[in-house]
Amino acid sequence: MKLRSWFSLPVWIVACVLLPAGRSVSGAGTVRLAIEADKPGPTISRHIYGHFSEHLGRCIYEGLWVGPDSPIPNTRGMRNDVVAALKKIRIPNLRWPGGCFADEYHWMDGIGPQEKRPSIVNVHWGGVTENNHFGTHEFLELCEQLGTDPYICGNVGSGEVREMRDWVEYMTMDGVSPMADLRRMNGRDKAWKVPFFGVGNENWGCGGNMTPEFYADQYRRYATFVRDFGGNHVYRIACGSNGFDYRWTEVLMERAGRQMQGLSLHYYCGTGRKSRSATKFEEDDWFHLLRSALRMEELVTRTGDIMDRFDREKRVGMMVDEWGTWHEVEPGTNPGFLYQQNTLRDALVAGLTLNIFNRHADRVRMANIAQLVNVLQAVILTDKEKMLLTPTYHVYEMYTVHHDATLLPLTLLTPDYAFGNEKIPSVSASASRDKAGRVHVTLCNLDPNHPVDVVGDIAGATVKTVRGRVLTAPAMQAHNTFEQPETVKPVEFGDAKAGERGFTATLPAKSVVVLELE
Ligand code: AHR
């Protein structure tokens, strides 16, 4: 770097750059943010904003599918209210049918006349009997209604290579073939596009308890038969590690890196330290959960470093295809159904995690929060004919501005949020420029007690106006209920203005803010 350019940077950034790597960059009081709009980074794939729907509890049945004869308004069996709400957040891809369910699922049970489909027992999730009324045709119909890309997860744990091969042919073969003909007999003439295919799920656990060496060989074999039929190009995704199991990543990249387009990664940040309740918790639990969520930064950085050793060109995408909070189920509900409420705390987890993915957009190409409706960190909850949008939904809506936008590098100097003897950075941020040239900055103030001032320096763009929206509430535990569905929702943000070098803003305590700079 030329000496001249050092002088053109604000003094505090020079100080940050000179700090030893890994040292926390904390400052008192004010947050300083330097955005390099003149040094655009990679595209933030819209697929980072992907979702996951498993045959689990009331996600598929009731949450998405009610059947054509239901009194709940539906279009060919899909709930109209849920589909309309999901279209607003432009969900880019949807993973299905699991999860652990995927390695028990035999797709041929879910095609043909519904009344003739065999029942199966959902051994992982409550041991309930599943009638298979929602199968391949229904899932792909749902994706068409949503305008989203299907991401199918195949069965390696208990399925055969031929079964996986035939499934891909059934869905994507346009010409004449045994599987395409069977699809036509079942009422669908035109082949579907299936751009994403997962070769097994959690094969280190519920998907077969395999070693990485064994799975790498299995992956190579199964993935060979996941064919591109006609104009359909499949992005093959290998099962990645269980959180911090870096050895799994290393073995997979070394032995099967060349056969994959994507490698998954699962990380659930969990719940509080003293209370596991989604809604009844104190500051200790707030702090603990946000600190666990921030570990996603370490996880994607170290996983990315390992991937770089085998794939310097970053050809293989990191696909964080399961992530989110995992609280105790709501009292009185089936423990196997993983139904949990969703508070402002979950919204902060979503906001800071999506900021991390954005900042790692050079390697992170997809992420899928678990799960879409009524399960874990859902964006939508339903109760028969009623539906509500969770605080996490609102974060996804606010962050749509980043879909396929260009990442802008940023440097952040933030005070710490301390709790007892422990501390975490109080603010998380990411920035991008959209196709119309507007810069968007998303900011999360993790401190539940103090607002924070932000001074934003923008190199390479002049800011004339700043608009914003904010998601916050008086209480950490604030959440939406079927009786009061609008307790937590975004509103106009008036505490930001254009400044000489960029903008200034005051973020309320415990808030997620999106700014639009023009
Ligand atoms: O999302 C719930 C479960 O968590 C999934 O089925 C599994 O893949 C993971 O362990």
Side-chain angles (χ1 to χ4, degrees):
M1 185 185 278
K2 287 189 212 135
L3 202 56
R4 193 162 31 103
S5 48
W6 279 95
F7 284 118
S8 68
L9 290 170
V11 172
W12 66 268
I13 301 186
V14 178
C16 291
V17 174
L18 295 175
L19 282 169
R23 175 131 167 236
S24 111
V25 183
S26 61
T30 301
V31 171
R32 311 296 301 253
L33 189 65
I35 298 172
E36 298 179 82
D38 50 352
K39 295 200 183 104
T43 299
I44 297 172
S45 171
R46 66 182 183 285
H47 291 294
I48 284 176
Y49 293 84
H51 290 265
F52 170 34
S53 56
E54 180 166 8
H55 288 235
L56 197 178
R58 294 181 299 115
C59 180
I60 300 286
Y61 296 99
E62 184 190 312
L64 293 159
W65 165 264
V66 287
D69 302 329
S70 170
I72 297 175
N74 69 84
T75 303
R76 293 182 287 285
M78 315 298 160
R79 290 182 77 123
N80 291 345
D81 52 355
V82 171
V83 168
L86 293 175
K87 282 174 89 163
K88 279 201 191 130
I89 55 171
R90 304 204 303 266
I91 79 168
N93 68 73
L94 186 57
R95 181 170 181 254
W96 175 83
C100 294
F101 184 80
D103 284 277
E104 297 273 352
Y105 184 63
H106 300 283
W107 68 273
M108 284 227 180
D109 293 346
I111 57 171
Q114 280 167 339
E115 63 287 358
K116 291 203 175 141
R117 296 183 193 174
S119 293
I120 52 162
V121 178
N122 192 333
V123 290
H124 290 288
W125 307 119
V128 292
T129 302
E130 139 93 57
N131 63 15
N132 270 313
H133 282 191
F134 189 92
T136 302
H137 289 249
E138 290 75 19
F139 173 67
L140 293 168
E141 161 76 26
L142 172 65
C143 290
E144 285 183 340
Q145 289 191 24
L146 291 171
T148 197
D149 283 340
Y151 170 11
I152 301 260
C153 187
N155 179 346
V156 171
S158 69
E160 302 298 328
V161 173
R162 180 175 182 176
E163 185 181 356
M164 187 179 286
R165 187 216 159 277
D166 285 352
W167 199 7
V168 177
E169 180 182 315
Y170 183 89
M171 294 184 286
T172 63
M173 174 77 193
D174 232 342
V176 174
S177 81
M179 289 299 119
D181 292 348
L182 182 59
R183 183 189 70 233
R184 287 191 190 98
M185 261 174 52
N186 288 329
R188 172 80 185 197
D189 180 33
K190 200 166 163 264
W192 289 283
K193 292 273 184 254
V194 177
F196 301 109
F197 197 93
V199 181
N201 168 74
E202 297 196 351
N203 303 93
W204 36 261
C206 63
N209 283 306
M210 301 176 193
T211 62
E213 290 81 4
F214 182 77
Y215 172 72
D217 287 346
Q218 292 293 308
Y219 173 81
R220 290 165 63 118
R221 177 164 175 244
Y222 277 73
T224 304
F225 298 95
V226 175
R227 306 274 188 208
D228 287 348
F229 289 101
N232 187 64
H233 295 289
V234 185
Y235 192 97
R236 293 162 192 79
I237 299 167
C239 162
S241 70
N242 177 14
F244 301 90
D245 178 3
Y246 296 117
R247 185 166 175 274
W248 181 281
T249 307
E250 194 165 330
V251 173
L252 261 289
M253 286 303 293
E254 185 176 15
R255 296 190 174 208
R258 261 177 280 157
Q259 282 79 26
M260 65 177 79
Q261 283 79 50
L263 180 63
S264 80
L265 173 65
H266 289 185
Y267 175 59
Y268 289 95
C269 59
T271 183
R273 176 160 44 193
K274 291 192 176 144
S275 162
R276 300 195 66 240
S277 164
T279 53
K280 294 186 176 57
F281 59 86
E282 297 304 330
E283 189 174 346
D284 184 299
D285 305 303
W286 168 279
F287 179 88
H288 177 78
L289 182 57
L290 296 187
R291 190 180 54 183
S292 304
L294 284 167
R295 293 200 72 194
M296 186 66 91
E297 175 77 45
E298 170 194 343
L299 194 55
V300 295
T301 303
R302 290 195 57 190
T303 302
D305 289 347
I306 296 168
M307 292 175 80
D308 284 353
R309 279 183 17 225
F310 300 94
D311 172 35
R312 276 184 206 189
E313 295 76 35
K314 299 191 193 290
R315 184 188 58 79
V316 179
M318 192 192 304
M319 326 295 272
V320 191
D321 59 15
E322 284 187 36
W323 67 274
T325 59
W326 195 313
H327 306 296
E328 215 161 56
V329 298
E330 280 301 287
T333 65
N334 187 330
F337 283 11
L338 309 186
Y339 175 73
Q340 65 187 41
Q341 250 294 358
N342 192 298
T343 67
L344 184 60
R345 178 175 61 158
D346 298 272
L348 265 299
V349 168
L352 75 87
T353 306
L354 293 168
N355 281 339
I356 293 170
F357 295 151
N358 287 347
R359 294 197 306 266
H360 288 271
D362 60 337
R363 180 65 90 174
V364 178
R365 310 273 163 74
M366 180 190 278
N368 306 69
I369 192 168
Q371 298 192 8
L372 193 59
V373 190
N374 292 332
V375 171
L376 298 175
Q377 194 176 350
V379 294
I380 289 179
L381 302 179
T382 65
D383 179 12
K384 301 183 191 73
E385 76 291 351
K386 291 187 235 153
M387 177 197 88
L388 67 81
L389 308 176
T390 66
T392 299
Y393 172 95
H394 294 302
V395 173
Y396 270 80
E397 187 273 316
M398 291 163 79
Y399 279 52
T400 51
V401 293
H402 291 307
H403 289 204
D404 289 334
T406 303
L407 178 72
L408 299 178
L410 60 77
T411 311
L412 178 70
L413 176 65
T414 170
D416 286 325
Y417 156 40
F419 182 79
N421 297 325
E422 301 166 302
K423 56 188 182 181
I424 54 176
S426 63
V427 169
S428 139
S430 68
S432 68
R433 179 159 42 208
D434 69 11
K435 295 199 171 66
R438 292 171 299 218
V439 171
H440 293 101
V441 189
T442 43
L443 297 143
C444 304
N445 181 4
L446 313 188
D447 187 329
N449 305 311
H450 303 105
V452 66
D453 292 329
V454 180
V455 176
D457 286 301
I458 314 230
T462 315
V463 180
K464 292 203 184 104
T465 58
V466 182
R467 278 184 295 274
R469 288 194 303 146
V470 58
L471 186 75
T472 188
M476 290 184 280
Q477 304 83 355
H479 57 279
N480 297 332
T481 62
F482 294 103
E483 294 70 41
Q484 289 182 310
E486 303 210 336
T487 303
V488 188
K489 65 170 189 181
V491 294
E492 291 274 299
F493 179 59
D495 278 336
K497 55 177 192 270
E500 213 182 298
R501 302 180 62 133
F503 69 92
T504 56
T506 302
L507 310 180
K510 49 179 164 9
S511 65
V512 181
V513 169
V514 55
L515 298 179
E516 181 169 277
L517 317 175
E518 276 186 291

